[in-house]
């Protein structure tokens, strides 16, 4: 019998309506549209406004979009994994909130925190449940409400992030397609350069932590840049090489959207041209766990069965990884 693989059979996404432009950021911090555009490639990002609007709002909208497009019955979902570092609350898991809101009454669900690599980690995990033969329908969501943990007085950090969420449905196949291979890595010494100081069990919230602005993303941008640029490119090249993929046979590079200069370096390392690189950084910025599924959502109609995709990410932890996915359906069949 042929090996069971996990195929991506549907994609969903959601970005909030509010657009925070570089021009508006110019009125908030000492920056310019020109600096942000040339240093990062970002022109605007989406922000989830309103009271009581957690990341689950975007996760629910993304999954509903996917269910409607694919005609999937939520009662058939076995498992839902939500990759996020900005859950609605420390507990319960935002995945529990999403599963109940969409009517996935037969599913169990949990969150996964691996920052910008969260979606890749969750996709690998979800695929393993399918490959084992245990489950038939697994939903993997990646999304973050980064605006909830950004210091809008820190010009190097606040300009790169935005809010958004995307998701995929994984189902078993015995065809030679779906999640083919991946390399996932982590290195906890990266904590020095990218973390949030307070609000966890090491330094719980207090007046002092609020006064010291410790509930925001702390990032030493240029140090993170150096790690990202080499590590993400290395694993993307390794996963391509060990599967015999060349610049010609890779149809799309699907890179984490942190900085256009990192994306360009990864593309050049894998040897592929810009027309084969999925990119939406100029419209959404860095949505952390949301970047990869939002790329698949934006490019879904252009994808064809048999396309070879290399997904790659790098983020807090440090965490990083790359995955080879052989696409399992034609974008033209998608109902909108
Ligand atoms: O997604 C998770 C992982 N994160 C990443 O991969 C992010 C990686 N890092 C980056 O993308 C970049 O490091 C940033 C976009 C965050 C920063 O860009 P950079 O080119 O590394 O800038 P820098 O921090 O080295 O700062 C260079 C200069 C400094 O001025 P001086 O000291 O040379 O006078 C900064 O003060 O640019 C200044 N600067 C700004 N100027 C205008 C920093 N931020 C801004 C700004 N507007 N927003």
């Amino acid at each position: 019998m042929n090996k069971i693989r996990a195929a991506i059979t549907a994609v969903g996404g959601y970005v909030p309506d509010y657009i925070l432009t570089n021009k508006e950021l110019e009125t908030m911090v000492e920056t310019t549209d020109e600096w942000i555009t040339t240093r990062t490639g970002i022109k605007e990002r989406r922000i989830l406004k309103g009271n009581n609007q957690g990341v689950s709002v975007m996760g629910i909208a993304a999954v509903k979009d996917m269910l409607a497009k694919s005609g999937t019955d939520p009662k058939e979902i076995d498992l839902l994994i939500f990759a996020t570092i900005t859950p609605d609350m420390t507990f319960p898991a935002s995945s529990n909130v999403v599963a109940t809101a969409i009517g996935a009454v037969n599913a169990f669900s949990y969150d996964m925190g691996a920052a910008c690599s969260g979606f890749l980690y969750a996709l690998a995990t979800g695929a393993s449940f399918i490959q084992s033969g245990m489950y038939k329908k697994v939903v993997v969501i990646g999304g973050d409400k980064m605006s909830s943990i950004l210091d809008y007085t820190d010009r190097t950090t606040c300009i790169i992030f935005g809010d958004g969420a995307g998701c995929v449905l994984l189902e078993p196949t015995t065809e030679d397609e779906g999640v083919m291979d991946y390399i996932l890595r982590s290195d906890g010494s990266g904590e020095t350069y990218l973390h949030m100081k307070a609000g966890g069990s090491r330094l719980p919230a207090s007046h002092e932590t609020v006064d010291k602005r410790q509930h925001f993303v702390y990032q030493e941008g240029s140090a993170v840049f150096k790690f990202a640029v080499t590590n993400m490119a290395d694993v993307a090249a390794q996963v391509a090489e060990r599967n015999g993929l060349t610049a010609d046979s890779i149809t799309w590079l699907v890179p984490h959207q942190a900085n256009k200069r990192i994306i360009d370096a990864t593309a050049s390392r894998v040897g592929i041209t810009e027309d084969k690189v999925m990119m939406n950084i100029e419209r959404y910025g860095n949505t952390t766990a949301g970047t990869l599924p939002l790329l698949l959502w934006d490019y879904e109609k252009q994808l064809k069965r048999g396309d070879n995709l290399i997904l790659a990410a790098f983020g807090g932890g440090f965490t990083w990884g790359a995955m080879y996915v052989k696409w399992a359906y034609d974008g033209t069949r998608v109902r909108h």
Side-chain angles (χ1 to χ4, degrees), residues 29-32 35-36 39-40 116 155-157 159-161 194 219-226 228 256-259 261-262 286 288 314-316:
V29 285
E30 175 112 22
T31 192
T32 59
W35 192 95
I36 301 173
R39 302 307 291 166
T40 71
C116 299
R155 67 175 182 171
T156 37
T157 306
I159 51 112
I160 69 170
F161 292 101
L194 185 50
Q219 177 171 259
E220 292 179 26
S222 53
V224 177
F225 186 97
K226 282 182 203 132
H256 175 51
Q257 308 282 292
N259 189 315
R261 289 182 289 142
I262 300 174
N286 180 352
T288 301
F314 183 91

Side-chain angles (χ1 to χ4, degrees), residues 116-117 120 232-233 235-236 253-257 266 291-292 310-314 320-323:
C116 299
S117 310
L120 266 192
M232 192 165 110
V235 283
L253 177 66
V254 190
H256 175 51
Q257 308 282 292
T266 307
T291 59
L292 299 186
I310 297 289
L311 283 61
F314 183 91
W320 68 101
M323 181 182 278

Side-chain angles (χ1 to χ4, degrees), residues 8 10-17 46 58 61-66 69 119 142 163-168 254 278 280 283-284 290-303 309 327 329 331 334-336:
I8 295 176
V11 177
Y14 175 80
V15 289
D17 292 336
R46 302 299 180 104
M58 299 188 291
V63 179
K64 282 187 174 169
D65 174 49
M66 181 275 286
K69 275 159 56 183
F119 181 75
D163 303 339
C167 68
V168 298
V254 190
M278 290 191 189
N280 55 18
R283 287 181 293 130
Y284 305 150
T291 59
L292 299 186
L294 283 173
L295 284 170
L296 297 176
W297 183 56
D298 272 352
Y299 283 78
E300 184 183 23
K301 280 190 177 164
Q302 296 180 53
L303 291 169
L309 276 57
W327 202 249
Y329 62 95
V334 176
R335 284 181 271 171
H336 283 281

